[in-house]
Amino acid sequence: FCCSPLHTCTFMSSLFRSTFRSNSKQWKCFQTLVDKAIPHLDRNIVKSVYKSIENGRNEEWPSMKDALNALRLKLEFDDETMRYQRVIEETHHHSHAEIQCAKRHFAKLVIDGENIQLLRALESTFE
């Protein structure tokens, strides 16, 4: 099987474009999740962390899959805490028992070891 130089060049160009597109999509996904999970971060810090993960030099996340999963977990944590805070703050819409229950769940969520570890990992990675 022999390829002409033009065919090889076209194939490599196509391969490069598809790799760049997937990296570009991955960057956009990473950037979007970071913006939602940790708003107001400097774009240069986000790019630096992305490149360190992509190049396998990030101490916290050995793969992009791990980083994206951590960011998704942070978004879930934020959603849960906001739900409980709403119940706690809206005293005229909820019974005393509902408010007390929300306070207990909120406290458990905030002091949970895995959540603390996640928040520390995000903080150290993006500082």
Side-chain angles (χ1 to χ4, degrees), residues 13-32:
S13 174
S14 153
L15 181 63
F16 175 76
R17 277 195 311 272
S18 68
T19 301
F20 179 75
R21 262 190 239 119
S22 69
N23 286 344
S24 178
K25 285 180 184 178
Q26 193 175 43
W27 159 246
K28 287 180 183 178
C29 180
F30 181 79
Q31 183 181 14
T32 300

Side-chain angles (χ1 to χ4, degrees), residues 60-108:
E60 194 62 50
W61 302 308
S63 72
M64 189 58 65
K65 182 180 177 181
D66 294 329
L68 296 175
N69 186 48
L71 292 166
R72 286 185 187 107
L73 288 173
K74 169 64 165 69
L75 289 173
E76 289 174 14
F77 173 81
D78 289 347
D79 285 343
E80 280 188 79
T81 56
M82 287 183 70
R83 259 189 316 219
Y84 292 131
Q85 284 177 326
R86 254 186 256 122
V87 171
I88 293 165
E89 291 169 1
E90 296 174 354
T91 56
H92 57 282
H93 293 318
H94 302 283
S95 71
H96 180 70
E98 289 172 324
I99 294 169
Q100 292 306 313
C101 183
K103 285 181 179 180
R104 282 192 304 277
H105 285 290
F106 179 80
K108 284 180 186 176

Side-chain angles (χ1 to χ4, degrees), residues 32-76:
T32 300
L33 284 173
V34 169
D35 287 344
K36 289 179 181 179
I38 314 166
H40 313 297
L41 269 181
D42 181 73
R43 183 73 58 212
N44 291 328
I45 293 173
V46 177
K47 283 181 184 179
S48 174
V49 170
Y50 176 81
K51 286 179 183 179
S52 74
I53 297 166
E54 192 176 44
N55 295 327
R57 291 182 286 116
N58 188 282
E59 293 178 18
E60 194 62 50
W61 302 308
S63 72
M64 189 58 65
K65 182 180 177 181
D66 294 329
L68 296 175
N69 186 48
L71 292 166
R72 286 185 187 107
L73 288 173
K74 169 64 165 69
L75 289 173
E76 289 174 14

